[in-house]
């Protein structure tokens, strides 16, 4: 559908007629909001960096601070907590990795935001500069409608998948690390959970994902009104 849209643009556009007034109409205004919210999605999720911290006491070590840094795309199973000392607590400490690989959900969510960002730019160019072509060629509104429906569905799937992954990330980087660390259960070894980086920005990314579901879902109606499908249904309803 994306390549079909580009092909239609390249083959049908002739003569620019710039009209920013469309941005004040629902079709254009919602597209601007979708563009802005897609930026917020990949900025809040894709740019996240954090760390979780433990305090460890063992043989020859007292209150040693251990940190594990994690970031997008959240492959936590590759993140290791460094050993408390070079001797590894007298041989009782083994490498500790965080649990879980959430890269698929995170990358799906961010990649969709990038694609939405690019599509909104292309759509706004057509709306503002080539509205006359958009209205005269029935293929443009139909293609726009198909992409909008698919994007609304993908936003719903990716947002819920990312929300579930985020909940699991909070568990995997929280106090449950101690319960899953065998080295902390060794005789003479004590572990305390200290802190984990606030994930408010990741919570915000989920909120923007939900807003994108609403925007793209609502936008389906306004795009549908410009298609010949809507015009045909009107003619049928008005025909006695």
């Amino acid at each position: 559908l994306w390549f079909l849209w580009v092909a239609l643009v390249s083959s049908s556009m002739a003569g620019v007629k710039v009209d920013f007034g469309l941005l004040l109409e629902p079709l254009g205004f919602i597209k601007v909001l979708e563009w802005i919210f897609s930026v917020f999605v990949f900025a809040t999720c894709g740019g996240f960096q954090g760390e979780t911290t433990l305090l460890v006491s063992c043989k020859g070590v007292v209150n040693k601070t251990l940190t594990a840094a994690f970031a997008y795309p959240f492959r936590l199973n590759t993140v290791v907590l460094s050993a408390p000392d070079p001797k590894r607590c007298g041989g009782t400490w083994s490498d500790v990795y965080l649990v879980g690989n959430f890269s698929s959900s995170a990358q799906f969510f961010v990649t969709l935001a990038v694609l939405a960002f690019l599509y909104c730019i292309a759509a706004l160019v057509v709306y503002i500069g080539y509205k006359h072509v958009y209205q005269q060629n029935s293929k443009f509104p139909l293609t726009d409608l198909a992409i909008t429906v698919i994007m609304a569905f993908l936003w719903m799937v990716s947002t819920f998948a990312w929300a579930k992954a985020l909940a699991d990330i909070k568990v995997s980087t929280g106090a449950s690390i101690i319960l899953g660390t065998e080295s902390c259960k060794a005789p003479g070894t004590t572990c305390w959970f200290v802190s984990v980086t606030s994930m408010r920005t990741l919570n915000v990314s989920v909120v923007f994902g939900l807003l994108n579901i609403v925007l793209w879902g609502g936008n389906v109606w306004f795009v549908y009104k410009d298609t010949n499908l809507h015009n045909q249904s009107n003619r049928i309803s008005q025909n006695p």
Side-chain angles (χ1 to χ4, degrees), residues 188-200:
T189 300
T190 306
C191 300
W192 298 272
F193 177 76
V194 178
S195 66
V196 64
T197 302
S198 173
M199 299 186 188
R200 293 192 189 95

Side-chain angles (χ1 to χ4, degrees), residues 110-168:
V110 172
T111 300
L112 181 62
V114 174
L115 293 177
F117 172 82
L118 296 175
Y119 178 72
C120 288
I121 293 177
L124 287 172
V125 169
V126 174
Y127 292 166
I128 295 173
Y130 300 92
K131 181 63 176 178
H132 58 292
V133 179
Y134 181 89
Q135 293 174 332
Q136 293 170 2
N137 191 333
S138 61
K139 294 181 180 179
F140 275 106
L142 288 175
T143 304
D144 195 13
L145 176 62
I147 295 177
T148 302
V149 171
I150 292 173
M151 291 295 289
F153 174 75
L154 291 178
W155 272 118
M156 180 178 65
V157 174
S158 65
T159 299
F160 290 136
W162 168 236
K164 174 61 170 61
L166 177 57
D168 293 338

Side-chain angles (χ1 to χ4, degrees), residues 11-229:
S11 63
S12 302
M13 286 186 175
V16 180
K17 295 181 181 179
V18 178
D19 181 14
F20 289 98
L22 186 70
L23 298 180
L24 301 178
E25 299 179 11
L27 187 64
F29 182 70
I30 292 178
K31 193 63 68 179
V32 172
L33 292 180
E34 291 170 349
W35 178 72
I36 294 174
F37 287 175
S38 65
V39 174
F40 286 147
V41 166
F42 61 74
T44 52
C45 181
F48 181 84
Q49 292 183 340
E51 63 179 24
T52 185
T53 305
L54 300 182
L55 201 63
V56 177
S57 293
C58 60
K59 184 178 179 180
V61 177
V62 178
N63 294 341
K64 174 71 174 182
T65 300
L66 305 185
T67 59
F70 58 94
Y72 173 86
F74 305 102
R75 294 187 179 92
L76 300 186
N77 57 341
T78 63
V79 178
V80 62
L81 279 165
S82 57
D85 70 304
K87 296 181 180 180
R88 295 177 175 268
C89 295
T92 62
W93 188 274
S94 57
D95 288 337
V96 177
Y97 289 87
L98 301 185
V99 178
N101 183 352
F102 308 99
S103 59
S104 58
S105 297
Q107 289 176 326
F108 180 26
F109 190 58
V110 172
T111 300
L112 181 62
V114 174
L115 293 177
F117 172 82
L118 296 175
Y119 178 72
C120 288
I121 293 177
L124 287 172
V125 169
V126 174
Y127 292 166
I128 295 173
Y130 300 92
K131 181 63 176 178
H132 58 292
V133 179
Y134 181 89
Q135 293 174 332
Q136 293 170 2
N137 191 333
S138 61
K139 294 181 180 179
F140 275 106
L142 288 175
T143 304
D144 195 13
L145 176 62
I147 295 177
T148 302
V149 171
I150 292 173
M151 291 295 289
F153 174 75
L154 291 178
W155 272 118
M156 180 178 65
V157 174
S158 65
T159 299
F160 290 136
W162 168 236
K164 174 61 170 61
L166 177 57
D168 293 338
I169 290 171
K170 292 179 179 178
V171 173
S172 297
T173 58
S176 62
I177 295 176
I178 297 176
L179 299 177
T181 303
E182 294 298 326
S183 297
C184 290
K185 302 175 184 178
T189 300
T190 306
C191 300
W192 298 272
F193 177 76
V194 178
S195 66
V196 64
T197 302
S198 173
M199 299 186 188
R200 293 192 189 95
T201 56
L202 298 181
N203 294 334
V204 171
S205 70
V206 174
V207 173
F208 280 115
L210 295 174
L211 290 175
N212 273 300
I213 296 174
V214 175
L215 283 175
W216 286 89
N219 198 24
V220 171
W221 166 248
F222 294 104
V223 177
Y224 170 74
K225 288 176 63 178
D226 280 346
T227 65
N228 52 13
L229 298 176

